[in-house]
Amino acid sequence: MSFYDEISKYNWSEVKDFIYSRKEPDVLNAINKNALSLEDFAALLSPAAEKFLEPMAKESHRITLQRFGKTIKIYIPMYVSNECVNSCVYCGFNVHNKFKRKTLTLDEVKLELDVIKKTGIKHILICSGEHPKKVSVDYLNEVVKLARKDFSSIIIEVQPLDENEYRILYNSGADSLALYQETYNKDTYKEVHLGGKKTDYRYRLEAPERAAAAGLRTIGIGALMGLDDFRVEEFFVGLHARYLMRKFWKTHITVSFPRIRDAEGHFKPTYLINDKNLVQSMLSLRLFLHDVGLVISTREPAELRDKLIYLGVTQMSAGSKTNPGGYAAGEEEGKQFEVEDTRSAEEFIESVRKKGFDPVLKDWDSSFINAV
Ligand code: SF4
């Protein structure tokens, strides 16, 4: 049984009605509990919980200190390609958008890596559009092998793959996967994914399981905030994270909260997600799942990221460029979306230190794989 079977037991509008029907006593009851049920989690995501963000933040901070200490794991993205065969209405890389497309040659990848490694960050996120020919598994495998020389942790954020393909990349040194379902609502999913393989909701939904089965040690999931009601989306993100944590107990599960940013095509989100909504989502997830990693990227502005550090975040990106060649060649064209926190990696690392947190630039070594 996969998560697809699990989620199929739920009805979107019934879950929505349940979340919206929660009252203040349900919220207070949930905040004061140690082990939360799904019903408690729904209460924390409800409109009634908005009055209680402060006690939720205190609790989130306490749990995060207990589980992770005062640490923030830092990673840096490298876009290897902006070519894509899919047509997702919210994305700058949509096949119908006209701009200069590029997939880095392996020599260009080496140049990017040389610049990125100077930051001292040892966790690299390899990103690309979904173009199985231009960004094939063979190509990705070569990129992973190159990155392996200078980086201890390699996260892949590419098209969903079969289990044996994930295994190939794992054997070359990729240890983590980031793959967002975008929206857990099947109907909305259909409306925003108009063409290409990404139209297959189930194949994408089950990809984290295939990656974990192939051995990858960290799996990042999330919903793209703005496509549907965030309260219901985050409920299903939590359900998905709990399912993965139970089924793959050796795998660390992380959740991201990407909000739609301006991109080529200028898609206007159906639902506007304000800062309060983002904070409520993050705090609810932390109170529901104490060991889940919480990720905030440079999509968010510096001032907000600085505040979120105290509330339960465990991982943050730094110094991001969202186009291929953005570091070495200084390319400005062909970005997936606009970055909001434009501080350099060094500036961001320093600001984390000043807040009394440890910026973790390396927390993984390949020798671990060989030792277990
Ligand atoms: S979201 Fe991914 S698959 Fe969709 S257009 Fe953008 S890069 Fe391609």
Side-chain angles (χ1 to χ4, degrees):
M1 198 176 103
S2 76
F3 183 65
Y4 181 78
D5 303 306
E6 176 78 15
I7 199 173
S8 300
K9 293 180 199 156
Y10 293 82
N11 173 289
W12 183 275
S13 30
E14 280 172 20
V15 171
K16 185 171 177 174
D17 290 347
F18 183 77
I19 294 172
Y20 278 81
S21 70
R22 298 301 84 201
K23 300 278 181 286
E24 288 185 12
D26 303 314
V27 180
L28 285 168
N29 182 39
I31 297 175
N32 292 320
K33 265 189 176 175
N34 199 24
L36 272 65
S37 65
L38 267 180
E39 288 76 17
D40 297 322
F41 180 44
L44 296 182
L45 287 167
S46 71
E50 286 189 2
K51 265 173 114 177
F52 300 97
L53 292 188
E54 235 176 273
M56 282 170 69
K58 268 195 191 148
E59 190 56 9
S60 172
H61 182 63
R62 184 190 70 75
I63 298 166
T64 309
L65 280 188
Q66 190 189 59
R67 296 301 219 266
F68 297 89
K70 285 184 100 176
T71 62
I72 301 287
K73 177 173 166 176
I74 313 276
Y75 68 95
I76 187 159
M78 172 177 71
Y79 277 72
V80 293
S81 175
N82 58 20
E83 301 192 71
C84 189
V85 293
N86 292 330
S87 173
C88 311
V89 297
Y90 49 81
C91 178
F93 292 175
N94 184 323
V95 66
H96 300 300
N97 288 339
K98 302 270 173 276
F99 63 91
K100 205 171 111 199
R101 301 281 176 164
K102 183 171 180 59
T103 298
L104 298 182
T105 63
L106 292 179
D107 282 338
E108 287 169 327
V109 169
K110 276 187 214 153
L111 291 175
E112 284 294 85
L113 291 170
D114 280 345
V115 176
I116 296 170
K117 78 180 179 197
K118 289 190 186 127
T119 62
I121 300 170
K122 293 290 184 187
H123 314 122
I124 191 165
L125 173 74
I126 296 172
C127 293
S128 77
E130 301 192 9
H131 198 303
K133 281 204 183 114
K134 298 272 175 64
V135 190
S136 65
V137 175
D138 286 347
Y139 170 82
L140 288 169
N141 202 30
E142 293 310 314
V143 172
V144 168
K145 282 190 209 157
L146 284 174
R148 196 83 205 83
K149 294 179 186 157
D150 293 305
F151 295 86
S152 63
S153 170
I154 297 166
I155 313 153
I156 46 170
E157 188 175 341
V158 300
Q159 69 270 25
L161 301 172
D162 292 344
E163 187 180 322
N164 66 317
E165 295 173 322
Y166 281 128
R167 196 164 288 113
I168 291 170
L169 299 181
Y170 173 70
N171 287 336
S172 299
D175 58 281
S176 306
L177 171 81
L179 195 133
Y180 310 134
Q181 185 60 23
E182 320 296 14
T183 171
Y184 283 79
N185 184 335
K186 252 182 160 180
D187 296 331
T188 308
Y189 191 92
K190 222 186 225 166
E191 285 163 22
V192 296
H193 299 110
L194 303 180
K197 196 166 179 189
K198 195 160 170 182
T199 51
D200 190 339
Y201 173 94
R202 181 171 186 165
Y203 186 70
R204 190 169 188 88
L205 190 70
E206 292 177 340
E209 287 161 72
R210 295 194 295 275
L216 275 83
R217 297 306 171 118
T218 302
I219 305 284
I221 60 169
L224 182 59
M225 300 183 86
L227 295 179
D228 211 311
D229 187 313
F230 81 93
R231 301 180 198 278
V232 194
E233 290 285 15
E234 295 308 321
F235 176 86
F236 285 112
V237 170
L239 188 73
H240 195 183
R242 190 182 70 165
Y243 172 91
L244 293 169
M245 286 164 110
R246 285 179 173 174
K247 186 164 176 183
F248 302 99
W249 60 271
K250 283 185 181 171
T251 310
H252 178 49
I253 306 300
T254 65
V255 169
S256 294
F257 305 89
R259 284 197 280 187
I260 293 173
R261 285 284 164 223
D262 197 24
E264 202 79 40
H266 304 293
F267 171 75
K268 291 280 166 272
T270 321
Y271 293 79
L272 288 175
I273 308 294
N274 62 32
D275 291 355
K276 209 171 165 184
N277 302 152
L278 176 71
V279 168
Q280 185 178 3
S281 304
M282 215 183 81
L283 300 177
S284 305
L285 251 303
R286 168 57 71 237
L287 266 59
F288 179 48
L289 299 171
H290 294 187
D291 293 311
V292 82
L294 299 179
V295 187
I296 296 289
S297 77
T298 48
R299 278 174 186 258
E300 298 302 333
E303 312 80 62
L304 179 65
R305 297 217 314 153
D306 282 353
K307 287 184 193 138
L308 294 179
I309 285 185
Y310 299 101
L311 302 186
V313 177
T314 57
Q315 294 185 31
M316 295 176 112
S317 52
S320 309
K321 306 279 182 201
T322 66
N323 56 332
Y327 297 98
E331 286 279 348
E332 277 298 319
E333 238 190 292
K335 293 177 188 169
Q336 189 177 32
F337 57 85
E338 291 296 334
V339 160
E340 290 285 322
D341 185 346
T342 51
R343 288 175 287 187
S344 69
E346 293 76 8
E347 281 170 333
F348 179 66
I349 291 166
E350 194 42 38
S351 87
V352 171
R353 263 197 203 107
K354 279 198 183 135
K355 290 180 183 58
F357 283 75
D358 273 338
V360 179
L361 307 190
K362 177 178 191 251
D363 80 340
W364 167 264
D365 195 275
S366 61
S367 57
F368 178 67
I369 296 181
N370 305 328
V372 290

